[in-house]
Amino acid sequence: MKKNKYKNSKKYFIAAKKVIPGGVNSPVRAFSSVGCDPLFISKARGAYVYDADANKYIDYVLSWGPMILGHADKRINKGIVKTLKNGTSFGAPTKKEIELAELITKIYPSIDKVRLVSSGTEAAMSAIRLARGYTGKDKIIKFEGCYHGHSDSLLVKAGSGAATFGVPSSAGVTKTVSRDTIVIPFNDFEGLKKVIKKEKNNIACVILEPVPANMGVILPQDNFLKKVRELTAKTNIILIFDEVITGFRLALGGAQELFNVHSDITVLGKIIGGGFPIGAFGGRAEIMNFISPSGPVYQAGTLSGNPVAVTAGINTIKILRNNKGTYKLLETKGKHIEEGMRKIINKSHHKIVMHRAGSLFTLFFAESDLKNYSDVLKCDLKKFARFFRGMLARGVYLSPSQFEANFISVKHDLGDIDRTLKAARDVLCKL
Ligand code: KE4
């Protein structure tokens, strides 16, 4: 990356590393797997972000998913300003929390009750504790490459930041904790059946991203979700869908609506906070009533249901719900970039596989199609990094890791997508 074009980002990164581990507050932001220093972002509007040197980019990170309406949406900002005037946090229940909970329970038939927390990690961690408390069983099953935040029992072969660093599990997670987490390949239904048969009555839950986006976008194959649902129902195992990314993105009702497969517990985040810290987990009343203070599974949070985050979430969901064509529009945009990319890939000598689910997509630098994490590990990460840098230099800000998804917002217009395709064509013929 040319020095002067990124002068301020470089200066800020040096300063940041003196006082923040790795100079960032979340690992993937460090751009470590794409071989260049990170951009420091100064502002964002609609489909664009602007770095500290006023360079403009078409943004496909969208804060890792929340900004489905685009950045700095005037309707969201107006609602927040109004809320701010009445105070920002009370540590007491507010009417708005009921409104957000009612919205979620109306849109997700599998959710009778929902608990709001402050991050996806907190929501997934609490959902696991709830499944263990409700069933009285200890073991959990997750799928390699699926990422559910950084709580200890889920940081076993995580698929987001950790995978980017090629370290499938984290230092600091004790052997005893990871012993209760069984990890199998995604799309491996036979493997799941075998583990459940062997472990019989020790398994509290199976947790998965219904469409994994943390090893790049990997698509469920051969009715995988339906088969997992049937098997877990038959064997009294709680099924947890982590819809932190897919919720309110693949459809208003998330992957559950798209595939018509309903989990026992659902984990949500990102979009439901409209860009503010939030997470949520919900399910049938008989399960959720196990959560304190109505039941024995403890869970708490100072800023849970924060009025500002809840206001932004309510308004985001209402806009998504009331604008009927939203998801058709996102599908049109996703289709446009997919068709354009496929034409470019077919003419290119590079081996690239594109996966897309609605407004989520990943370009894998891979020889053949991919169905799980070990397939993704075979990708040409060096070539991906060169592609990423080439796109960045042309004003296109893709997710800075082969193991992540790219996101499209309602504000990305066909002109932005055509400029993205032009940049991709240009980079690939020079790669
Ligand atoms: P947070 O704790 O980061 O709010 O959510 C954790 C989480 C849970 N479940 C899924 C499916 C997720 O994708 C995430 C977080 N996503 C990553 C991006 N892949 C957040 C970006 C980051 O870690 O900086």
Side-chain angles (χ1 to χ4, degrees):
M1 293 165 83
K2 283 202 239 71
K3 279 212 177 16
N4 53 355
K5 192 179 169 192
Y6 307 102
K7 190 164 62 58
N8 287 333
S9 280
K10 285 191 173 311
K11 186 174 70 176
Y12 298 154
F13 193 39
I14 292 165
K17 281 189 279 191
K18 291 194 182 105
V19 285
I20 302 169
V24 291
N25 283 309
S26 198
V28 71
R29 302 177 190 175
F31 279 22
S32 325
S33 71
V34 288
C36 59
D37 286 349
L39 298 179
F40 278 65
I41 301 300
S42 59
K43 70 174 182 178
R45 291 267 185 295
Y48 312 118
V49 286
Y50 300 80
D51 69 14
D53 299 282
N55 300 304
K56 177 180 176 182
Y57 304 88
I58 302 169
D59 180 20
Y60 288 97
V61 179
L62 292 178
S63 180
W64 300 101
M67 312 320 292
I68 192 167
L69 297 179
H71 292 288
D73 182 286
K74 289 196 173 59
R75 299 161 294 183
I76 304 299
N77 287 359
K78 198 158 150 259
I80 301 164
V81 168
K82 203 160 150 259
T83 301
L84 285 176
K85 291 198 174 95
N86 298 328
T88 55
S89 179
F90 317 117
T94 62
K95 184 169 165 289
K96 282 184 185 299
E97 291 159 79
I98 308 168
E99 192 181 350
L100 181 53
E102 285 174 342
L103 268 175
I104 291 171
T105 54
K106 275 202 196 84
I107 294 168
Y108 286 76
S110 63
I111 301 180
D112 297 334
K113 290 191 174 184
V114 58
R115 169 61 59 89
L116 298 177
V117 296
S118 298
S119 72
T121 292
E122 215 186 324
M125 173 182 76
S126 309
I128 295 289
R129 186 181 310 131
L130 171 58
R132 285 171 160 154
Y134 177 74
T135 60
K137 301 187 271 186
D138 294 346
K139 289 205 182 301
I140 67 171
I141 296 176
K142 79 175 285 291
F143 294 89
E144 200 176 23
C146 285
Y147 178 66
H148 308 290
H150 60 88
S151 63
D152 281 7
S153 52
L154 288 166
L155 257 190
V156 179
K157 294 216 169 87
S160 178
T164 303
F165 293 109
V167 179
S169 62
S170 166
V173 174
T174 63
K175 284 195 194 60
T176 29
V177 166
S178 39
R179 203 176 299 139
D180 279 335
T181 303
I182 301 164
V183 185
I184 43 182
F186 188 74
N187 276 320
D188 180 4
F189 182 65
E190 289 314 311
L192 177 67
K193 263 195 321 191
K194 261 199 222 98
V195 164
I196 290 179
K197 194 160 179 285
K198 178 169 153 285
E199 287 297 332
K200 280 253 179 308
N201 309 323
N202 302 331
I203 297 170
C205 65
V206 170
I207 183 169
L208 69 158
E209 295 175 69
V211 176
N214 285 287
M215 47 177 142
V217 176
I218 293 290
L219 304 171
Q221 296 180 351
D222 315 324
N223 254 332
F224 183 64
L225 299 178
K226 193 163 171 298
K227 292 191 287 192
V228 172
R229 173 63 291 178
E230 284 162 3
L231 178 61
T232 47
K234 221 168 48 184
T235 49
N236 264 328
I237 292 173
I238 292 285
L239 177 60
I240 302 175
F241 272 3
D242 178 343
E243 296 226 46
V244 166
I245 284 189
T246 55
F248 295 95
R249 177 163 285 278
L250 295 188
L252 193 66
Q256 302 185 43
E257 178 184 321
L258 196 69
F259 293 95
N260 193 23
V261 177
H262 300 283
S263 50
D264 299 308
I265 298 176
T266 302
V267 176
L268 295 166
K270 296 185 194 270
I271 289 174
I272 64 166
F276 284 83
I278 202 163
F281 62 103
R284 291 195 304 278
E286 55 164 325
I287 301 176
M288 291 306 290
N289 288 336
F290 265 67
I291 284 287
S292 166
S294 46
V297 179
Y298 193 68
Q299 192 283 327
T302 306
L303 294 172
S304 296
N306 172 271
V308 182
V310 166
T311 303
I314 289 167
N315 292 338
T316 299
I317 293 173
K318 280 185 174 172
I319 292 166
L320 291 170
R321 182 197 60 186
N322 300 344
N323 291 280
K324 289 279 167 266
T326 302
Y327 293 95
K328 275 213 179 62
L329 186 67
L330 287 169
E331 177 55 27
T332 310
K333 295 169 195 280
K335 227 180 146 102
H336 190 73
I337 197 161
E338 179 176 8
E339 284 167 358
M341 269 317 301
R342 287 196 188 287
K343 282 196 195 113
I344 294 168
I345 293 166
N346 292 341
K347 289 204 187 99
S348 160
H349 63 282
H350 297 291
K351 296 273 172 266
I352 301 168
V353 173
M354 182 168 189
H355 282 182
R356 179 178 74 86
S359 57
L360 281 178
F361 69 93
T362 299
L363 293 169
F364 293 101
F365 281 73
E367 300 280 331
S368 53
D369 202 12
L370 310 94
K371 63 180 183 320
N372 58 33
Y373 178 69
S374 45
D375 289 347
V376 179
L377 284 180
K378 294 174 202 148
C379 286
D380 184 338
L381 300 183
K382 286 202 169 55
K383 190 178 279 192
F384 171 83
R386 291 203 305 276
F387 177 71
F388 171 85
R389 294 196 300 270
M391 294 296 275
L392 201 64
R394 290 164 178 77
V396 178
Y397 187 18
L398 295 174
S399 292
S401 164
Q402 176 69 93
F403 298 90
E404 297 287 357
N406 294 290
F407 302 83
I408 301 171
S409 80
V410 298
K411 284 282 190 283
H412 285 71
D413 62 29
L414 297 189
D416 296 319
I417 292 174
D418 289 341
R419 275 191 297 283
T420 304
L421 294 169
K422 183 175 173 306
R425 196 176 302 113
D426 199 27
V427 173
L428 286 177
C429 65
K430 296 187 175 76
L431 205 60

